[in-house]
Amino acid sequence: PIAGLTADRSILIAQDKPAPLPDKRPEVEAMTKKLLTHASKKGAEDIDAIGVVDQLVQEFEKCGPKDRQLVVKSLSRCFEERRLEKAGEPPNNKLYMACAVALSTMGPESAPELQKWIGHKELKKDVALQQRLILSLGKTKDKDALKALQDLMFHKDNVIVAAAAEALGNYEDLEIEARKKLFESLLKVLMSQKG
């Protein structure tokens, strides 16, 4: 009877485990290739690329670890694609903004990629994009991103400082010691602004 009980119990334990997510799916690979093809057209097909970004966001939760990495890397590669800029017009950053927002929902996998583009020499002049990247990094709630966000609190541009402070607001679930350190760094910023 004990052996039968053990066997029944192991069946129950096995049933409690969620099934592993499918990985290396051809449809995910096809979507990422389609995204990069649209993104490489210097802005001419950004609307189509943004549509694929939306599909990838919906698909991300159903992905296994390798597919998740592929999606995050593909979205990050979109920032490498240069856009044609016309004098006197705002930057053509719709695709960049869409990718930044999408990456905010893909943490913690997306946190290193977001950090790579914050302050990047090719993108740092686009303050709106930098702000979005910082806010997206905060939404990942990745603990490894805390140091980068705290460092941004001492940036020369007030918009960046405000974005970093707002991003840090996402870390309400930190343990008490980490929250104390975070508060101390915020207090230093406030005191330096007052001075």
Side-chain angles (χ1 to χ4, degrees):
I2 295 175
L5 179 63
T6 307
D8 290 342
R9 187 170 163 219
S10 65
I11 291 171
L12 288 174
I13 291 171
Q15 290 174 349
D16 289 344
K17 291 183 182 177
L21 295 169
D23 217 355
K24 293 187 176 180
R25 294 181 296 156
E27 58 268 23
V28 173
E29 185 177 354
M31 278 191 275
T32 56
K33 285 182 180 177
K34 187 176 177 184
L35 169 66
L36 295 173
T37 301
H38 288 310
S40 68
K41 304 292 189 208
K42 299 205 182 293
E45 296 182 11
D46 278 0
I47 299 295
D48 297 324
I50 291 169
V52 177
V53 169
D54 288 340
Q55 291 174 349
L56 287 170
V57 168
Q58 294 170 12
E59 201 65 32
F60 189 76
E61 288 300 318
K62 304 174 207 163
C63 290
K66 296 219 187 300
D67 279 347
R68 284 176 173 243
Q69 279 303 114
L70 176 63
V71 169
V72 167
K73 290 283 187 192
S74 299
L75 289 169
S76 181
R77 282 191 51 204
C78 289
F79 294 111
E80 297 172 11
E81 299 295 336
R82 299 296 130 230
R83 296 287 168 260
L84 297 174
E85 293 188 24
K86 297 177 183 170
E89 289 188 22
N92 180 4
N93 64 4
K94 291 182 197 106
L95 178 59
Y96 299 157
M97 295 293 257
C99 289
V101 170
L103 288 169
S104 74
T105 65
M106 299 177 181
E109 293 92 344
S110 62
E113 294 300 319
L114 286 164
Q115 287 184 60
K116 181 169 85 173
W117 296 107
I118 294 172
H120 190 274
K121 65 180 182 176
E122 298 290 328
L123 302 174
K124 70 180 176 183
K125 289 181 182 174
D126 188 347
V127 178
L129 176 60
Q130 290 298 307
Q131 182 182 22
R132 173 51 47 206
L133 288 166
I134 293 165
L135 293 172
S136 293
L137 181 59
K139 287 188 180 184
T140 67
K141 297 184 181 184
D142 184 53
K143 289 184 180 177
D144 294 335
L146 274 172
K147 172 84 170 92
L149 291 171
Q150 286 175 309
D151 291 346
L152 287 169
M153 294 293 296
F154 298 97
H155 195 274
K156 62 183 171 76
D157 193 342
N158 288 336
V159 174
I160 301 299
V161 173
E166 187 175 338
L168 287 168
N170 290 299
Y171 289 88
E172 70 271 353
D173 295 333
L174 286 177
E175 53 278 351
I176 193 72
E177 286 303 314
R179 286 171 53 192
K180 282 181 183 179
K181 288 180 183 177
L182 187 58
F183 175 75
E184 288 171 7
S185 68
L186 290 170
L187 187 59
K188 284 180 188 176
V189 171
L190 288 173
M191 295 311 288
S192 69
Q193 291 297 321
K194 184 180 178 186

